[in-house]
Amino acid sequence: MNPLYDRYINSLTVYHCDNKYRLGNKNDGGYVIMETDNYDFLLSGGVGGDISFEKNFTEKYNVNCVCFDGTENSGFELTKNLPLITYVNKNVGIRNTPKTSNFDFALNKYKNVFLKLDIEGSEFNLFHSLSTNQMKNIKQLVVEFHFPDGHKKWQALQKITQTHYLIHYHANNNNNVIYNINYQSIPAVFECTYVRKDLLDNPGLNKEPFPTKLDHRNTYTKLDFVIDCPPWVHK
C-alpha cells in the first residue's frame, strides 16, 4: 500500500449532511446540494446546452449569475430572456484573457459564492490557481471531476478539503473508465458537492450508500455505479 495514495483516496471522504435536495434536470445538468441561503452570486463554468441548474438556482435565491462556456454558443439563446443570468462566451482558465476567465472578478468581491463547474478537466488547474481566501469565499460548490489520473490532479482534490467538506458524491455512469488506486476502484468521472466548513459543525461520516434517492443516472440507458464502502460510506 502507498501512504501517498491513501491520502489521495481520503480526499473523497464524504461527511453527513441532513438537509440536501436536488436542483436542475433529473439527469445531466442537475445536482444534489445542501439547503442554505444568503448567497451573493452564482458562478458557473460549463453550459453544454443546459442551464436548468442556473435557472432554478437564481429563481430560488434571487441572485445574479454569470455562466461561462467558450466551446459553444448555446448560452446566448438559453439566457436571452433570463435577466439574472449573463452568458459569457469564454472558457475557464487560470488567467484572464480574451478567451478565458479565472473568476477573480467574483471570487475577490463576493464572500458567499455558489460555484458550479463542468469544464471537462480544466477544474484541476483552476483549483490549484485559487488562493485560500478565494476558496473561503465559495460557500458551496458542485464540480464534475474528469479523469484524475495524476498526482497534481489528486492534489487539487486534497486542496479543496482544506476549506470544504465533501457532502455528496455521484459517479457519472456515462463513462466506463475505472481507476485502481491502492486496490480501490475509482470511477474516472464523478460529481462532488462541497460546503464551506463553517456551515457544518463537526459533521460525522456519511453512512448512506450512493446513489441516493436524490440522484439520477447521467445516462438513463446505463446502470449507475453503486458505491457502499469507504471513503464514501462508513458503516
Side-chain angles (χ1 to χ4, degrees):
M1 303 290 281
N2 187 322
L4 177 62
Y5 280 104
D6 280 343
R7 292 201 298 273
Y8 290 166
I9 292 296
N10 288 336
S11 68
L12 294 177
T13 297
V14 182
Y15 292 87
H16 175 72
C17 176
D18 281 323
N19 53 332
K20 294 190 289 189
Y21 72 107
R22 186 181 181 89
L23 271 184
N25 283 339
K26 285 189 175 181
N27 50 341
D28 260 350
Y31 296 94
V32 176
I33 65 174
M34 186 176 97
E35 176 73 84
T36 184
D37 53 12
N38 297 320
Y39 290 104
D40 301 323
F41 199 76
L42 171 58
L43 191 57
S44 174
V47 172
D50 180 7
I51 58 165
S52 59
F53 181 87
E54 290 84 348
K55 186 174 184 293
N56 291 167
F57 189 97
T58 54
E59 290 172 348
K60 180 177 176 65
Y61 295 108
N62 192 34
V63 295
N64 290 314
C65 167
V66 178
C67 54
F68 291 80
D69 198 321
T71 64
E72 56 161 296
N73 295 316
S74 67
F76 289 117
E77 183 66 23
L78 291 170
T79 62
K80 68 179 183 180
N81 295 317
L82 300 174
L84 291 176
I85 305 177
T86 301
Y87 170 67
V88 178
N89 188 218
K90 288 185 176 184
N91 287 320
V92 180
I94 61 173
R95 298 178 184 87
N96 287 315
T97 74
K99 294 184 177 181
T100 61
S101 173
N102 65 3
F103 290 166
D104 65 353
F105 76 96
L107 296 180
N108 291 341
K109 177 180 180 181
Y110 300 105
K111 302 299 183 183
N112 292 293
V113 174
F114 192 106
L115 176 63
K116 190 216 88 171
L117 291 176
D118 184 359
I119 52 176
E120 308 303 323
S122 296
E123 62 273 8
F124 300 105
N125 285 337
L126 177 68
F127 286 117
H128 276 297
S129 74
L130 298 181
S131 69
T132 299
N133 285 338
Q134 287 176 320
M135 290 295 297
K136 288 181 177 179
N137 286 340
I138 301 169
K139 188 170 187 175
Q140 187 167 187
L141 62 149
V142 290
V143 189
E144 182 165 276
F145 290 101
H146 303 80
F147 305 101
D149 53 2
H151 289 282
K152 188 175 180 181
K153 292 181 178 181
W154 282 99
Q155 287 162 1
L157 285 158
Q158 285 183 303
K159 179 179 179 178
I160 301 171
T161 65
Q162 295 172 14
T163 52
H164 292 74
Y165 289 120
L166 176 61
I167 62 162
H168 199 81
Y169 179 95
H170 181 246
N172 189 324
N173 70 340
N174 192 44
N175 191 285
N176 296 323
V177 177
I178 301 291
Y179 294 131
N180 189 287
I181 300 176
N182 261 23
Y183 306 101
Q184 181 66 273
S185 296
I186 307 288
V189 180
F190 48 88
E191 300 160 343
C192 291
T193 304
Y194 298 87
V195 297
R196 200 170 56 206
K197 287 187 173 181
D198 64 290
L199 299 180
L200 291 177
D201 185 20
N202 296 316
L205 296 174
N206 172 65
K207 299 181 184 300
E208 185 178 17
F210 297 109
T212 71
K213 62 183 180 182
L214 295 173
D215 292 302
H216 293 273
R217 301 176 190 177
N218 296 82
T219 301
Y220 275 112
T221 56
K222 296 181 179 181
L223 294 176
D224 238 335
F225 291 99
V226 176
I227 296 177
D228 191 14
C229 64
W232 305 275
V233 183
H234 295 261
K235 300 299 186 182

